[in-house]
Amino acid sequence: MMILSNILLPLLFAIVTAMLRKQITALKWSALIFAVALVVLNGIIIDKVSQFDYLVVQVGNWEFPHGITLAVDRLSAVMLFISSTIVLFVIIYSWHTMTTEYFKNYYLTFVFALLMGVNGAFTTSDLFNLYVWYEVMIMSSFVLITLGNTKEQLTGAVKYVTMNILSSLFFLAGIGLLYAKTGTLNMADLAQKLTLSQDAALINSTAILFFIGFGIKSAIFPLFFWLPASYHTPPLPITALFSGLLTKVGVYSLLRFLSIIYIHDKLFWQVFLLTIAGLTMVIGVLTAASQYEIRRILSFHIVSQIGYMILGLALFTPLGIAAAIYYMLHNIVAKTNAFLVAGLIEHQTGTFHLKKLGNLFKTRPWLALFFAIPALGLAGFPPFSGFIGKLSVIQASIESQQYIIMTVAVIVSFFTLFSMIKIWMEGFWKENQETDESILGKPKLHFSSVLPVAFMGIITIAMGLMAQPLFEFLLKASNQLLDMDGYYNALKSPL
Amino acid sequence: MELILAILIGVLFAAGTYLLLRRSIVKLVMGIVLISYATNLILFNASGLVQNGLAFLNKDGSYDKMTDPLPQALILTAIVIGFGLTAFLLALKYKFFKITGTDDLDQLKETDAS
């Protein structure tokens, strides 16, 4: 019941916010209450999941494995929680930063529709159903990215839309071939059938189609070009929302799907994924280093950070996958936070360009503090969350004796630090006489735009300081993800 | 029959890819449409084609000649979704043309440069 309401409530909220669009104040407050309700609901789901391991709903009471099965395990639960939290923060941040035009043009409606797609993708264990949730998600994101109708947005949107449609077509073709080969679409049933089958490695040719589909979504190395070309075009709350949710759904699907396929041809997948992970990390961070626009630096960083998650998956040990999940959570919070701080910088100075920025440390020391927390978190300094993330990824690669990729991961984190320092030096420390601040004066900053930034900063620190209980939970989650028999039995005969 | 369909799928994919690589946005849209048709046909071909087969059982649960109904259900969903996506793409193309006055994909470089 709770799982279904996780999908149905955002739908209801989308409809209600669409009806309220003329009364802006009522609209904002109701959206805030809705988002809080979802966070509470997902908190309860995490609690339930740590008691019962799996929450399962057979939609329409079809017998397993014929119908659509919705199942929440620890990994899904924690992803659901973090995504609804991000939506809450983004809604608070949008309060005064988004213009009334956006609220009138169904901005919040599509935020909730996007959340519905994301929740569905995290919940379902049926591959075709996953495709449908992907479509719900990308359709809402298409609307959000084009909502302002500026020339820049439309240019970015053409690339974004094309690549995302192609990715779901690859995914769909994969579903067709997979069904032809195995006769099932349920992931638990698929895992069971592959374990019993003799030539399970033959599934690889199909799995690559899935890999390309999910790979475009999660922006891994040769497929990421749409991301930095489009993410900086919409208004900042939308960029922050996308950076927190969309690519991570791709990574989540890779984790879920490849955990079924991986064991049947371990040699191939390990080498393949390690190569992809290394290249994603290096290319992402090097291209970020050459940029001078804050949002574009951060966009390229998303790509680089995805590499760490793929690395955790490639190792395919319980520790590796737990590290990947931790890294994903850390990245969702810290990256969204960094984007929101970039928005504050733009609000104060009127520009995202590092060359035009300067003196911020002197004139606005609190802004420097806000930026320092996610920046140090992303670069991986203790006690912030990024440190634990990087440490566990590196520890997992030492444990699996993958020393080359470990070296790459360490070097890449230095480069990450380099580009964070670059934003710091150029934006905060540089003496710049030519900043046109005199024109702008000092724009008044609303409490609503500072609150989410401060909260996410606290989360970043808390995730680093209280890493142990969280990491223990994630270790359980990764063991659960690897335990295919348990997954099958839980879905077949739910409690 | 499957072979003919498989060749058709290949041709559609090739034609779609060719159109995607052209410079005009209309052709880009057409390319995506062709590729989505090809993908739908893959789904259709997935369970093998049975001539004169019904997609349901007799009353007593037996069947003489049966086609798998699931791919047909999937393809129906995929067609509807594809229709929605195409409608959005065409609207986007229209808006893009109205604001920039160009149909040339080479004019889209500016969001790539720093």
Side-chain angles (χ1 to χ4, degrees):
Chain A
M1 199 52 228
M2 237 180 256
I3 309 177
L4 275 180
S5 54
N6 219 339
I7 295 168
L8 293 178
L9 281 180
L11 178 64
L12 177 74
F13 298 162
I15 295 168
V16 172
T17 46
M19 292 194 305
L20 280 174
R21 74 183 183 112
K22 292 273 168 61
Q23 292 95 343
I24 300 294
T25 321
L27 172 70
K28 284 175 180 171
W29 278 105
S30 55
L32 181 68
I33 294 165
F34 294 157
V36 171
L38 282 174
V39 172
V40 172
L41 175 72
N42 284 309
I44 300 172
I45 285 184
I46 287 192
D47 184 48
K48 286 264 160 142
V49 163
S50 30
Q51 274 178 44
F52 301 113
D53 289 341
Y54 291 96
L55 300 177
V56 180
V57 174
Q58 314 279 4
V59 178
N61 277 332
W62 285 85
E63 206 177 303
F64 176 82
H66 302 297
I68 293 168
T69 312
L70 302 180
V72 173
D73 59 1
R74 285 192 175 80
L75 169 62
S76 314
V78 76
M79 293 305 290
L80 286 170
F81 182 74
I82 201 88
S83 52
S84 55
T85 316
I86 293 298
V87 167
L88 171 65
F89 286 143
V90 168
I91 286 176
I92 299 176
Y93 187 86
S94 322
W95 206 277
H96 288 290
T97 46
M98 291 298 250
T99 54
T100 329
E101 281 301 301
Y102 270 91
F103 285 107
K104 276 189 184 153
N105 283 313
Y106 305 103
Y107 161 62
L108 287 171
T109 306
F110 286 102
V111 169
F112 280 116
L114 181 78
L115 185 64
M116 177 174 74
V118 171
N119 280 353
F122 285 150
T123 312
T124 186
S125 70
D126 182 279
L127 281 169
F128 191 78
N129 197 231
L130 181 63
Y131 163 75
V132 175
W133 290 124
Y134 262 91
E135 295 301 320
V136 173
M137 190 175 84
I138 62 171
M139 211 58 191
S140 327
S141 71
F142 291 168
V143 177
L144 284 176
I145 206 170
T146 51
L147 209 51
N149 267 335
T150 62
K151 188 181 169 190
E152 211 190 15
Q153 271 181 304
L154 292 174
T155 314
V158 171
K159 298 164 194 173
Y160 178 79
V161 169
T162 312
M163 285 309 279
N164 273 290
I165 290 180
L166 280 182
S167 104
S168 24
L169 290 178
F170 270 108
F171 181 19
L172 188 60
I175 290 174
L177 293 181
L178 187 76
Y179 184 72
K181 279 181 184 167
T182 61
T184 183
L185 290 173
N186 189 295
M187 281 192 259
D189 192 36
L190 174 70
Q192 197 75 6
K193 279 197 170 149
L194 287 180
T195 334
L196 299 175
S197 129
Q198 291 294 316
D199 38 31
L202 288 181
I203 210 74
N204 272 0
S205 56
T206 312
I208 285 293
L209 281 175
F210 281 90
F211 185 78
I212 293 175
F214 296 145
I216 295 178
K217 287 269 153 56
S218 54
I220 53 173
F221 160 58
L223 311 165
F224 68 82
F225 295 98
W226 58 270
L227 192 149
S230 61
Y231 262 32
H232 63 288
T233 55
L236 205 110
I238 295 176
T239 311
L241 187 68
F242 281 13
S243 79
L245 298 186
L246 292 186
T247 47
K248 308 309 180 289
V249 180
V251 178
Y252 166 85
S253 311
L254 276 177
L255 278 174
R256 173 93 42 219
F257 184 72
L258 284 185
S259 61
I260 301 169
I261 304 293
Y262 194 99
I263 32 169
H264 299 296
D265 195 351
K266 212 169 171 181
L267 198 64
F268 166 73
W269 283 107
Q270 183 146 45
V271 175
F272 179 68
L273 288 174
L274 281 178
T275 319
I276 296 267
L279 285 170
T280 310
M281 284 191 276
V282 172
I283 306 276
V285 86
L286 285 185
T287 33
S290 70
Q291 300 295 326
Y292 268 92
E293 217 255 33
I294 300 180
R295 285 176 301 176
R296 287 179 61 84
I297 296 179
L298 292 174
S299 301
F300 276 109
H301 265 289
I302 299 178
V303 177
S304 161
Q305 313 278 340
I306 298 286
Y308 282 93
M309 300 165 207
I310 304 292
L311 167 58
L313 169 64
L315 299 169
F316 210 68
T317 54
L319 181 62
I321 288 183
I325 304 170
Y326 185 92
Y327 207 92
M328 190 147 63
L329 297 178
H330 139 71
N331 199 249
I332 290 176
V333 177
K335 182 62 74 182
T336 312
N337 195 2
F339 268 113
L340 293 184
V341 176
L344 291 185
I345 294 176
E346 199 262 355
H347 178 261
Q348 290 289 300
T349 60
T351 180
F352 284 110
H353 260 278
L354 288 180
K355 281 182 181 156
K356 291 180 197 155
L357 285 167
N359 313 336
L360 276 174
F361 188 74
K362 216 185 288 170
T363 54
R364 295 173 185 84
W366 47 271
L367 195 57
L369 176 69
F370 283 146
F371 177 73
I373 294 171
L376 291 175
L378 286 171
F381 269 75
F384 301 101
S385 55
F387 172 68
I388 310 287
K390 282 190 176 147
L391 183 72
S392 50
V393 168
I394 288 167
Q395 202 182 346
S397 22
I398 294 176
E399 200 185 70
S400 320
Q401 295 172 329
Q402 299 290 350
Y403 298 115
I404 303 173
I405 199 77
M406 183 209 84
T407 322
V408 174
V410 172
I411 293 172
V412 166
S413 73
F414 279 115
F415 276 102
T416 314
L417 179 61
F418 164 73
S419 27
M420 288 305 150
I421 288 179
K422 182 174 163 185
I423 300 181
W424 182 261
M425 298 286 279
E426 295 280 327
F428 291 91
W429 269 0
K430 186 178 62 182
E431 296 278 340
N432 193 345
Q433 309 299 337
E434 292 156 31
T435 45
D436 28 311
E437 285 186 38
S438 47
I439 309 165
L440 270 160
K442 273 202 175 182
K444 194 180 169 293
L445 206 62
H446 284 282
F447 180 63
S448 67
S449 14
V450 181
L451 185 74
V453 174
F455 254 107
M456 284 163 115
I458 292 170
I459 294 178
T460 311
I461 298 173
M463 272 175 75
L465 288 180
M466 296 188 284
Q468 203 195 350
L470 178 62
F471 210 84
E472 267 168 18
F473 183 84
L474 294 182
L475 268 176
K476 275 188 197 159
S478 76
N479 278 317
Q480 203 176 13
L481 187 71
L482 295 175
D483 176 19
M484 282 301 151
D485 290 330
Y487 189 41
Y488 183 81
N489 291 332
L491 262 64
K492 196 175 179 200
S493 44
L495 296 171
Chain B
M1 196 59 198
E2 276 101 342
L3 186 68
I4 300 173
L5 210 53
I7 293 171
L8 177 64
I9 292 169
V11 171
L12 281 175
F13 263 118
T17 314
Y18 176 73
L19 284 173
L20 277 186
L21 299 176
R22 301 297 300 270
R23 275 171 66 176
S24 147
I25 297 183
V26 183
K27 283 173 185 157
L28 179 93
V29 176
M30 296 313 291
I32 288 176
V33 169
L34 283 190
I35 290 182
S36 84
Y37 287 165
T39 315
N40 289 345
L41 284 177
I42 286 185
L43 277 184
F44 187 55
N45 222 351
S47 59
L49 301 176
V50 182
Q51 273 186 340
N52 301 326
L54 297 174
F56 41 79
L57 305 171
N58 293 333
K59 243 179 193 168
D60 52 348
S62 68
Y63 60 91
D64 330 306
K65 206 176 184 190
M66 201 188 157
T67 63
D68 191 342
L70 186 72
Q72 301 182 7
L74 300 187
I75 199 177
L76 193 62
T77 318
I79 287 172
V80 175
I81 292 175
F83 179 73
L85 288 178
T86 315
F88 182 85
L89 263 176
L90 286 171
L92 177 66
K93 195 264 164 254
Y94 172 71
K95 203 88 202 182
F96 183 78
F97 184 74
K98 232 171 108 180
I99 287 182
T100 62
T102 176
D103 183 43
D104 189 351
L105 282 170
D106 271 13
Q107 305 294 319
L108 264 67
K109 281 179 196 152
E110 58 199 71
T111 57
D112 281 331
S114 51

